[in-house]
Amino acid sequence: MKRKLGLGICILSCISTVYAAPNDVFTTIPGFEPDQNLTFSGSIDYFKAKSKAKNDNQRDYQGITLGAQYIISPEWYTDLNYWNRTIKYGQNDNDVHSWKIGLGYVPDFQLGQDSSIAFAISAWGNSSSHFEKSSATKYKEYRLTDFSMKNPQDWQLQLDGIFSQKWNEQNTFTIFANAAYSNVSVDSLKSTLVNKNCYFDIHVDPNNYLTGTLNKPCTIGNTTANEMTLSADAKVYGIDIKKDLNYNAVILGTGFNWQWNYQNFNTLFGYNFQYYLRDTSDQAFAGQQEVKSNHIVGLELNYALNDQTTLFLQNQYFKSSFVGSIPSLYNPITSSALDKGYDYISLGARFNIF
């Protein structure tokens, strides 16, 4: 009997982790258990995009996630997470480093029997030395190939409110709401710009000044041009790096999840809705469909091997790929490539140290 009780406690404490984006859908309130207050976790993450376009395996992904949570007292807890991601667009491998640090507070009062509430504040973000996509991208009246952003990065400050109701020993229902301030920045970009039948290798600097040279000879009317240069404000070509690739935003989210426990098994099913308010220019997404919201569905399966170790399998489905989890990858130029759904799978383990 003691063995089963211990496993039950491990199940609850091992999975009771408060996440921030990109894992809001799994948000729960941690329980304080003596000798089980420090938890480490790690997982291998993978998904395969469903694109059927030839030679375009865009958004393929593999990576690792590392996390730690320390429950300081029955009222306070903190957590730290790190993601290393490799995102593949065609032949381009893009490495993204993501992080999150959070602090939570569980007040010492209840709204009802077997209920609890929590408030959390967290900072999280993403950074990469570059993000490249060689396949063609339609942008307004132009076509871009071999597109590359230099130093795309973002950071967010997020506030969460969480309410959890335990119905019985097997079932717990959680609802949550959050709001985050987001800052997105990109240093510069380069690409091959296709204007009619002429190809130009262009570079746009942080001041939005565009320079370019003819990539190969092209015919204009009855004349063949072997050399040609571009030098102008990038706004002439519909690009505004200061406002459209560098912007602030507000991310609003809400959702729920349900946990079911049985001996050393646990399942969690959740839903998360996100809405985005960006301060990009009015013409930023002209002729394109701006993704202003996202729907996320998550499923997690847990199995406790013993009091200290739990194995887990997570699956998340996102209606629009990295829009809310890696904001710096989303802008008017990349929007057409980031409006597709994907399935995200993680296989990992959690360890209760003490």
Side-chain angles (χ1 to χ4, degrees):
M1 183 65 180
K2 290 183 179 180
R3 177 62 176 171
K4 290 183 178 179
L5 178 60
L7 283 173
I9 291 174
C10 179
I11 276 286
L12 292 174
S13 61
C14 284
I15 70 161
S16 294
T17 304
V18 175
Y19 295 92
N23 288 330
D24 281 335
V25 71
F26 299 116
T27 296
T28 56
I29 299 178
F32 180 80
E33 297 291 343
D35 302 325
Q36 292 189 343
N37 296 330
L38 179 62
T39 301
F40 289 102
S41 63
S43 68
I44 299 173
D45 313 317
Y46 176 82
F47 75 74
K48 177 72 174 178
K50 297 179 180 179
S51 172
K52 296 181 180 179
K54 293 181 178 180
N55 301 319
D56 183 13
N57 51 352
Q58 61 179 352
R59 305 181 328 281
D60 286 358
Y61 173 103
Q62 60 184 9
I64 60 171
T65 300
L66 302 175
Q69 180 189 68
Y70 182 61
I71 303 177
I72 304 169
S73 70
E75 292 81 24
W76 294 96
Y77 58 87
T78 184
D79 59 297
L80 178 68
N81 292 277
Y82 169 75
W83 293 262
N84 181 280
R85 318 166 187 264
T86 299
I87 305 169
K88 193 176 186 67
Y89 275 77
Q91 300 303 312
N92 305 113
D93 290 336
N94 300 282
D95 293 324
V96 179
H97 301 277
S98 307
W99 56 272
K100 179 252 178 177
I101 184 170
L103 178 67
Y105 173 64
V106 183
D108 188 20
F109 69 88
Q110 295 181 335
L111 296 179
Q113 185 177 2
D114 293 326
S115 68
S116 57
I117 63 173
F119 303 96
I121 182 171
S122 60
W124 55 278
N126 305 273
S127 64
S128 179
S129 61
H130 64 273
F131 185 79
E132 299 179 341
K133 180 178 180 294
S134 57
S135 56
T137 299
K138 188 179 184 304
Y139 180 64
K140 298 181 180 179
E141 66 265 36
Y142 303 102
R143 187 161 58 94
L144 301 175
T145 61
D146 296 319
F147 172 76
S148 175
M149 297 187 295
K150 182 180 179 181
N151 292 329
Q153 54 187 316
D154 60 79
W155 61 267
Q156 285 68 225
L157 182 64
Q158 180 168 320
L159 300 175
D160 294 81
I162 311 160
F163 171 78
S164 182
Q165 177 66 56
K166 185 176 181 180
W167 292 334
N168 51 47
E169 291 299 322
Q170 283 75 43
N171 297 276
T172 303
F173 184 75
T174 300
I175 60 174
F176 58 87
N178 49 55
Y181 169 80
S182 176
N183 177 268
V184 172
S185 63
V186 173
D187 284 351
S188 61
L189 68 86
K190 63 179 181 179
S191 182
T192 298
L193 183 147
V194 183
N195 186 5
K196 296 181 180 179
N197 62 337
C198 293
Y199 290 72
F200 293 90
D201 292 330
I202 65 168
H203 176 267
V204 181
D205 68 17
N207 295 316
N208 206 52
Y209 196 75
L210 182 149
T211 56
T213 57
L214 194 63
N215 179 284
K216 58 184 179 181
C218 70
T219 301
I220 304 175
N222 296 321
T223 304
T224 299
N226 294 306
E227 294 184 4
M228 194 182 309
T229 60
L230 300 177
S231 181
D233 189 323
K235 291 181 181 178
V236 174
Y237 301 93
I239 300 173
D240 191 339
I241 194 172
K242 290 184 177 180
K243 291 185 178 180
D244 299 341
L245 277 73
N246 292 266
Y247 61 84
N248 300 316
V250 173
I251 304 174
L252 303 175
T254 187
F256 65 87
N257 59 61
W258 167 63
Q259 294 182 71
W260 179 75
N261 303 290
Y262 180 72
Q263 294 184 2
N264 54 340
F265 290 95
N266 172 278
T267 62
L268 184 150
F269 173 79
Y271 168 77
N272 179 210
F273 173 78
Q274 295 177 336
Y275 189 79
Y276 317 109
L277 300 167
R278 306 181 182 91
D279 68 352
T280 51
S281 62
D282 294 338
Q283 298 300 314
F285 292 90
Q288 304 175 70
Q289 184 66 42
E290 179 183 2
V291 175
K292 293 186 176 181
S293 64
N294 205 355
H295 300 270
I296 303 105
V297 177
L299 175 65
E300 180 174 286
L301 306 176
N302 296 273
Y303 178 76
L305 296 178
N306 51 50
D307 294 349
Q308 288 75 40
T309 307
T310 297
L311 303 180
F312 67 89
L313 174 67
Q314 289 180 350
N315 178 246
Q316 293 186 72
Y317 172 78
F318 297 73
K319 185 177 183 296
S320 300
S321 53
F322 298 108
V323 177
S325 55
I326 313 179
S328 53
L329 298 189
Y330 188 82
N331 56 60
I333 297 178
T334 62
S335 61
S336 62
L338 295 179
D339 62 352
K340 302 172 180 65
Y342 71 92
D343 291 297
Y344 184 108
I345 297 174
S346 299
L347 177 63
R350 297 187 184 93
F351 306 94
N352 279 353
I353 306 302
F354 61 80

Short mmCIF file of all heavy atoms in Angstrom, two decimals, residues 205-252:
data_model
loop_
_atom_site.label_atom_id
_atom_site.label_comp_id
_atom_site.label_asym_id
_atom_site.label_seq_id
_atom_site.Cartn_x
_atom_site.Cartn_y
_atom_site.Cartn_z
N ASP A 205 20.30 46.95 -44.64
CA ASP A 205 20.99 47.16 -43.37
C ASP A 205 20.02 47.61 -42.28
O ASP A 205 18.82 47.82 -42.54
CB ASP A 205 22.14 48.16 -43.56
CG ASP A 205 21.67 49.57 -43.87
OD1 ASP A 205 20.48 49.90 -43.64
OD2 ASP A 205 22.50 50.37 -44.35
N PRO A 206 20.49 47.78 -41.04
CA PRO A 206 19.58 48.16 -39.94
C PRO A 206 18.87 49.48 -40.15
O PRO A 206 17.83 49.73 -39.52
CB PRO A 206 20.52 48.21 -38.73
CG PRO A 206 21.64 47.29 -39.07
CD PRO A 206 21.83 47.43 -40.54
N ASN A 207 19.41 50.35 -41.03
CA ASN A 207 18.77 51.63 -41.32
C ASN A 207 17.78 51.55 -42.47
O ASN A 207 17.30 52.57 -42.96
CB ASN A 207 19.84 52.69 -41.62
CG ASN A 207 20.72 52.99 -40.43
OD1 ASN A 207 20.23 53.13 -39.31
ND2 ASN A 207 22.03 53.05 -40.66
N ASN A 208 17.52 50.32 -42.90
CA ASN A 208 16.57 50.04 -43.99
C ASN A 208 17.07 50.52 -45.35
O ASN A 208 16.28 50.80 -46.25
CB ASN A 208 15.19 50.66 -43.70
CG ASN A 208 14.08 49.90 -44.42
OD1 ASN A 208 13.99 48.68 -44.30
ND2 ASN A 208 13.26 50.61 -45.17
N TYR A 209 18.39 50.61 -45.50
CA TYR A 209 18.96 51.00 -46.79
C TYR A 209 19.29 49.75 -47.58
O TYR A 209 19.96 48.84 -47.09
CB TYR A 209 20.20 51.86 -46.60
CG TYR A 209 20.60 52.59 -47.85
CD1 TYR A 209 19.89 53.71 -48.28
CD2 TYR A 209 21.66 52.14 -48.63
CE1 TYR A 209 20.23 54.38 -49.44
CE2 TYR A 209 22.01 52.80 -49.79
CZ TYR A 209 21.30 53.91 -50.20
OH TYR A 209 21.64 54.57 -51.36
N LEU A 210 18.81 49.69 -48.81
CA LEU A 210 18.97 48.51 -49.67
C LEU A 210 20.04 48.76 -50.71
O LEU A 210 20.03 49.79 -51.40
CB LEU A 210 17.65 48.17 -50.33
CG LEU A 210 17.59 46.93 -51.25
CD1 LEU A 210 16.18 46.31 -51.20
CD2 LEU A 210 17.93 47.28 -52.71
N THR A 211 20.95 47.80 -50.82
CA THR A 211 21.93 47.80 -51.90
C THR A 211 21.86 46.44 -52.60
O THR A 211 21.55 45.42 -51.97
CB THR A 211 23.35 48.03 -51.38
OG1 THR A 211 23.68 47.05 -50.39
CG2 THR A 211 23.48 49.43 -50.77
N GLY A 212 22.14 46.43 -53.89
CA GLY A 212 22.05 45.18 -54.62
C GLY A 212 22.82 45.22 -55.93
O GLY A 212 23.09 46.30 -56.48
N THR A 213 23.18 44.04 -56.39
CA THR A 213 23.86 43.90 -57.67
C THR A 213 23.17 42.82 -58.49
O THR A 213 22.56 41.90 -57.94
CB THR A 213 25.34 43.52 -57.48
OG1 THR A 213 25.42 42.30 -56.73
CG2 THR A 213 26.09 44.62 -56.74
N LEU A 214 23.28 42.96 -59.79
CA LEU A 214 22.65 42.00 -60.69
C LEU A 214 23.30 40.63 -60.53
O LEU A 214 24.52 40.49 -60.58
CB LEU A 214 22.78 42.48 -62.13
CG LEU A 214 21.91 41.77 -63.19
CD1 LEU A 214 20.43 41.99 -62.90
CD2 LEU A 214 22.27 42.27 -64.59
N ASN A 215 22.47 39.62 -60.32
CA ASN A 215 22.97 38.28 -60.08
C ASN A 215 23.45 37.61 -61.37
O ASN A 215 24.46 36.91 -61.38
CB ASN A 215 21.86 37.44 -59.43
CG ASN A 215 22.25 36.01 -59.17
OD1 ASN A 215 22.31 35.20 -60.08
ND2 ASN A 215 22.53 35.71 -57.90
N LYS A 216 22.73 37.85 -62.47
CA LYS A 216 23.08 37.29 -63.77
C LYS A 216 22.45 38.16 -64.84
O LYS A 216 21.52 38.93 -64.56
CB LYS A 216 22.61 35.85 -63.88
CG LYS A 216 21.11 35.67 -63.69
CD LYS A 216 20.72 34.20 -63.74
CE LYS A 216 19.22 34.02 -63.52
NZ LYS A 216 18.83 32.59 -63.53
N PRO A 217 22.95 38.11 -66.06
CA PRO A 217 22.39 38.96 -67.13
C PRO A 217 20.89 38.76 -67.28
O PRO A 217 20.36 37.65 -67.10
CB PRO A 217 23.14 38.50 -68.38
CG PRO A 217 24.41 37.91 -67.86
CD PRO A 217 24.06 37.27 -66.56
N CYS A 218 20.19 39.85 -67.57
CA CYS A 218 18.75 39.76 -67.79
C CYS A 218 18.37 40.68 -68.95
O CYS A 218 19.10 41.60 -69.30
CB CYS A 218 17.97 40.12 -66.53
SG CYS A 218 18.05 41.85 -66.07
N THR A 219 17.22 40.41 -69.52
CA THR A 219 16.75 41.17 -70.67
C THR A 219 15.63 42.11 -70.26
O THR A 219 14.65 41.70 -69.64
CB THR A 219 16.24 40.22 -71.77
OG1 THR A 219 17.31 39.35 -72.18
CG2 THR A 219 15.78 41.02 -72.99
N ILE A 220 15.80 43.37 -70.57
CA ILE A 220 14.78 44.39 -70.31
C ILE A 220 14.37 44.95 -71.66
O ILE A 220 15.13 45.68 -72.30
CB ILE A 220 15.32 45.50 -69.39
CG1 ILE A 220 15.85 44.92 -68.09
CG2 ILE A 220 14.24 46.54 -69.12
CD1 ILE A 220 16.49 45.93 -67.18
N GLY A 221 13.19 44.64 -72.10
CA GLY A 221 12.77 45.02 -73.45
C GLY A 221 13.61 44.29 -74.48
O GLY A 221 13.66 43.05 -74.47
N ASN A 222 14.31 45.02 -75.32
CA ASN A 222 15.19 44.41 -76.31
C ASN A 222 16.66 44.52 -75.92
O ASN A 222 17.55 44.26 -76.73
CB ASN A 222 14.98 45.07 -77.68
CG ASN A 222 13.59 44.83 -78.22
OD1 ASN A 222 13.04 43.72 -78.07
ND2 ASN A 222 12.99 45.85 -78.84
N THR A 223 16.90 44.93 -74.66
CA THR A 223 18.27 45.16 -74.19
C THR A 223 18.66 44.14 -73.14
O THR A 223 17.89 43.85 -72.22
CB THR A 223 18.41 46.57 -73.60
OG1 THR A 223 18.00 47.54 -74.57
CG2 THR A 223 19.85 46.84 -73.18
N THR A 224 19.85 43.62 -73.30
CA THR A 224 20.39 42.69 -72.30
C THR A 224 21.33 43.44 -71.37
O THR A 224 22.29 44.06 -71.82
CB THR A 224 21.13 41.53 -72.97
OG1 THR A 224 20.22 40.79 -73.80
CG2 THR A 224 21.72 40.58 -71.92
N ALA A 225 21.03 43.39 -70.08
CA ALA A 225 21.86 44.06 -69.08
C ALA A 225 22.79 43.05 -68.44
O ALA A 225 22.36 42.00 -67.97
CB ALA A 225 20.98 44.72 -68.03
N ASN A 226 24.09 43.36 -68.45
CA ASN A 226 25.08 42.49 -67.82
C ASN A 226 25.47 42.98 -66.43
O ASN A 226 25.93 42.20 -65.61
CB ASN A 226 26.33 42.39 -68.70
CG ASN A 226 26.04 41.69 -70.01
OD1 ASN A 226 25.52 40.57 -70.02
ND2 ASN A 226 26.38 42.34 -71.12
N GLU A 227 25.32 44.28 -66.20
CA GLU A 227 25.65 44.86 -64.91
C GLU A 227 24.57 45.85 -64.52
O GLU A 227 24.08 46.61 -65.34
CB GLU A 227 27.01 45.56 -64.95
CG GLU A 227 28.20 44.64 -65.17
CD GLU A 227 29.52 45.39 -65.10
OE1 GLU A 227 29.48 46.62 -64.80
OE2 GLU A 227 30.57 44.77 -65.33
N MET A 228 24.20 45.84 -63.27
CA MET A 228 23.21 46.78 -62.77
C MET A 228 23.28 46.78 -61.25
O MET A 228 23.55 45.75 -60.63
CB MET A 228 21.80 46.37 -63.22
CG MET A 228 20.74 47.46 -63.05
SD MET A 228 19.08 46.91 -63.55
CE MET A 228 19.41 46.26 -65.19
N THR A 229 23.10 47.92 -60.63
CA THR A 229 23.13 48.02 -59.17
C THR A 229 21.86 48.69 -58.66
O THR A 229 21.20 49.45 -59.38
CB THR A 229 24.35 48.83 -58.68
OG1 THR A 229 24.29 50.15 -59.23
CG2 THR A 229 25.65 48.15 -59.11
N LEU A 230 21.53 48.37 -57.43
CA LEU A 230 20.41 49.00 -56.74
C LEU A 230 20.93 49.72 -55.52
O LEU A 230 21.81 49.21 -54.81
CB LEU A 230 19.38 47.95 -56.31
CG LEU A 230 18.73 47.09 -57.39
CD1 LEU A 230 17.79 46.07 -56.72
CD2 LEU A 230 17.95 47.95 -58.38
N SER A 231 20.38 50.88 -55.23
CA SER A 231 20.76 51.65 -54.06
C SER A 231 19.61 52.59 -53.72
O SER A 231 19.41 53.59 -54.40
CB SER A 231 22.06 52.44 -54.33
OG SER A 231 22.45 53.17 -53.19
N ALA A 232 18.87 52.23 -52.67
CA ALA A 232 17.67 53.01 -52.35
C ALA A 232 17.15 52.62 -50.98
O ALA A 232 17.57 51.62 -50.39
CB ALA A 232 16.60 52.78 -53.41
N ASP A 233 16.23 53.43 -50.50
CA ASP A 233 15.50 53.06 -49.29
C ASP A 233 14.70 51.79 -49.60
O ASP A 233 14.01 51.71 -50.62
CB ASP A 233 14.57 54.20 -48.88
CG ASP A 233 13.94 53.99 -47.51
OD1 ASP A 233 13.61 52.84 -47.17
OD2 ASP A 233 13.76 54.98 -46.78
N ALA A 234 14.79 50.79 -48.73
CA ALA A 234 14.11 49.52 -48.99
C ALA A 234 12.60 49.66 -49.09
O ALA A 234 11.93 48.77 -49.62
CB ALA A 234 14.48 48.50 -47.92
N LYS A 235 12.06 50.78 -48.59
CA LYS A 235 10.61 51.00 -48.69
C LYS A 235 10.15 51.05 -50.14
O LYS A 235 8.99 50.77 -50.46
CB LYS A 235 10.22 52.28 -47.97
CG LYS A 235 10.36 52.23 -46.46
CD LYS A 235 9.92 53.54 -45.83
CE LYS A 235 10.09 53.50 -44.31
NZ LYS A 235 9.70 54.80 -43.69
N VAL A 236 11.08 51.43 -51.02
CA VAL A 236 10.76 51.46 -52.46
C VAL A 236 10.33 50.07 -52.93
O VAL A 236 9.49 49.95 -53.84
CB VAL A 236 11.97 51.96 -53.27
CG1 VAL A 236 11.70 51.86 -54.77
CG2 VAL A 236 12.32 53.39 -52.88
N TYR A 237 10.87 49.05 -52.31
CA TYR A 237 10.55 47.66 -52.67
C TYR A 237 9.61 47.02 -51.65
O TYR A 237 9.49 45.79 -51.61
CB TYR A 237 11.85 46.86 -52.81
CG TYR A 237 12.77 47.42 -53.86
CD1 TYR A 237 13.77 48.34 -53.52
CD2 TYR A 237 12.62 47.08 -55.21
CE1 TYR A 237 14.60 48.88 -54.48
CE2 TYR A 237 13.44 47.61 -56.18
CZ TYR A 237 14.43 48.52 -55.81
OH TYR A 237 15.25 49.06 -56.77
N GLY A 238 8.97 47.83 -50.85
CA GLY A 238 7.98 47.33 -49.91
C GLY A 238 8.54 46.73 -48.64
O GLY A 238 7.83 46.07 -47.89
N ILE A 239 9.85 46.94 -48.38
CA ILE A 239 10.50 46.37 -47.20
C ILE A 239 10.78 47.48 -46.18
O ILE A 239 11.39 48.50 -46.52
CB ILE A 239 11.82 45.66 -47.58
CG1 ILE A 239 11.55 44.53 -48.57
CG2 ILE A 239 12.51 45.12 -46.33
CD1 ILE A 239 12.82 43.89 -49.12
N ASP A 240 10.33 47.30 -44.96
CA ASP A 240 10.59 48.25 -43.88
C ASP A 240 11.10 47.45 -42.69
O ASP A 240 10.34 47.01 -41.84
CB ASP A 240 9.33 49.02 -43.51
CG ASP A 240 9.63 50.20 -42.59
OD1 ASP A 240 10.70 50.17 -41.94
OD2 ASP A 240 8.81 51.12 -42.49
N ILE A 241 12.42 47.27 -42.62
CA ILE A 241 13.00 46.42 -41.60
C ILE A 241 12.80 46.99 -40.21
O ILE A 241 12.70 46.26 -39.22
CB ILE A 241 14.51 46.18 -41.89
CG1 ILE A 241 15.04 45.03 -41.04
CG2 ILE A 241 15.32 47.44 -41.67
CD1 ILE A 241 16.46 44.62 -41.40
N LYS A 242 12.72 48.33 -40.11
CA LYS A 242 12.58 48.96 -38.80
C LYS A 242 11.21 48.69 -38.17
O LYS A 242 11.09 48.57 -36.95
CB LYS A 242 12.80 50.47 -38.92
CG LYS A 242 14.24 50.87 -39.21
CD LYS A 242 14.37 52.39 -39.23
CE LYS A 242 15.81 52.82 -39.44
NZ LYS A 242 15.94 54.30 -39.45
N LYS A 243 10.17 48.61 -38.99
CA LYS A 243 8.82 48.46 -38.46
C LYS A 243 8.22 47.08 -38.66
O LYS A 243 7.37 46.66 -37.87
CB LYS A 243 7.89 49.50 -39.12
CG LYS A 243 8.17 50.93 -38.71
CD LYS A 243 7.13 51.87 -39.30
CE LYS A 243 7.37 53.30 -38.85
NZ LYS A 243 6.36 54.23 -39.41
N ASP A 244 8.66 46.36 -39.69
CA ASP A 244 8.02 45.10 -40.03
C ASP A 244 8.81 43.87 -39.57
O ASP A 244 8.23 42.80 -39.38
CB ASP A 244 7.79 45.02 -41.54
CG ASP A 244 6.86 46.12 -42.03
OD1 ASP A 244 6.15 46.70 -41.19
OD2 ASP A 244 6.85 46.41 -43.24
N LEU A 245 10.13 44.01 -39.42
CA LEU A 245 10.93 42.91 -38.89
C LEU A 245 11.40 43.20 -37.47
O LEU A 245 11.89 42.31 -36.78
CB LEU A 245 12.13 42.63 -39.79
CG LEU A 245 11.86 41.74 -41.02
CD1 LEU A 245 11.08 42.49 -42.08
CD2 LEU A 245 13.16 41.19 -41.60
N ASN A 246 11.27 44.44 -37.04
CA ASN A 246 11.52 44.85 -35.66
C ASN A 246 10.23 45.45 -35.12
O ASN A 246 9.81 46.52 -35.56
CB ASN A 246 12.66 45.87 -35.59
CG ASN A 246 14.01 45.28 -35.95
OD1 ASN A 246 14.77 44.84 -35.10
ND2 ASN A 246 14.31 45.27 -37.25
N TYR A 247 9.61 44.76 -34.19
CA TYR A 247 8.32 45.24 -33.71
C TYR A 247 8.05 44.76 -32.29
O TYR A 247 8.73 43.86 -31.77
CB TYR A 247 7.19 44.77 -34.65
CG TYR A 247 7.02 43.28 -34.77
CD1 TYR A 247 6.28 42.56 -33.84
CD2 TYR A 247 7.60 42.57 -35.83
CE1 TYR A 247 6.11 41.19 -33.96
CE2 TYR A 247 7.44 41.20 -35.96
CZ TYR A 247 6.70 40.51 -35.02
OH TYR A 247 6.54 39.15 -35.13
N ASN A 248 7.08 45.39 -31.66
CA ASN A 248 6.58 44.97 -30.35
C ASN A 248 5.22 44.33 -30.54
O ASN A 248 4.52 44.59 -31.51
CB ASN A 248 6.49 46.15 -29.39
CG ASN A 248 7.83 46.82 -29.16
OD1 ASN A 248 8.84 46.14 -28.97
ND2 ASN A 248 7.86 48.14 -29.18
N ALA A 249 4.83 43.51 -29.58
CA ALA A 249 3.54 42.83 -29.68
C ALA A 249 3.03 42.48 -28.29
O ALA A 249 3.79 42.49 -27.31
CB ALA A 249 3.66 41.57 -30.54
N VAL A 250 1.76 42.17 -28.23
CA VAL A 250 1.14 41.62 -27.03
C VAL A 250 0.57 40.26 -27.40
O VAL A 250 -0.11 40.13 -28.43
CB VAL A 250 0.03 42.54 -26.49
CG1 VAL A 250 -0.72 41.84 -25.34
CG2 VAL A 250 0.61 43.86 -26.01
N ILE A 251 0.89 39.25 -26.60
CA ILE A 251 0.39 37.90 -26.82
C ILE A 251 -0.60 37.58 -25.70
O ILE A 251 -0.23 37.60 -24.52
CB ILE A 251 1.53 36.87 -26.84
CG1 ILE A 251 2.57 37.23 -27.90
CG2 ILE A 251 0.97 35.46 -27.11
CD1 ILE A 251 3.80 36.33 -27.88
N LEU A 252 -1.84 37.30 -26.07
CA LEU A 252 -2.87 36.94 -25.10
C LEU A 252 -3.20 35.47 -25.24
O LEU A 252 -3.28 34.95 -26.36
CB LEU A 252 -4.13 37.78 -25.33
CG LEU A 252 -3.96 39.30 -25.28
CD1 LEU A 252 -5.27 39.99 -25.63
CD2 LEU A 252 -3.48 39.74 -23.90
#
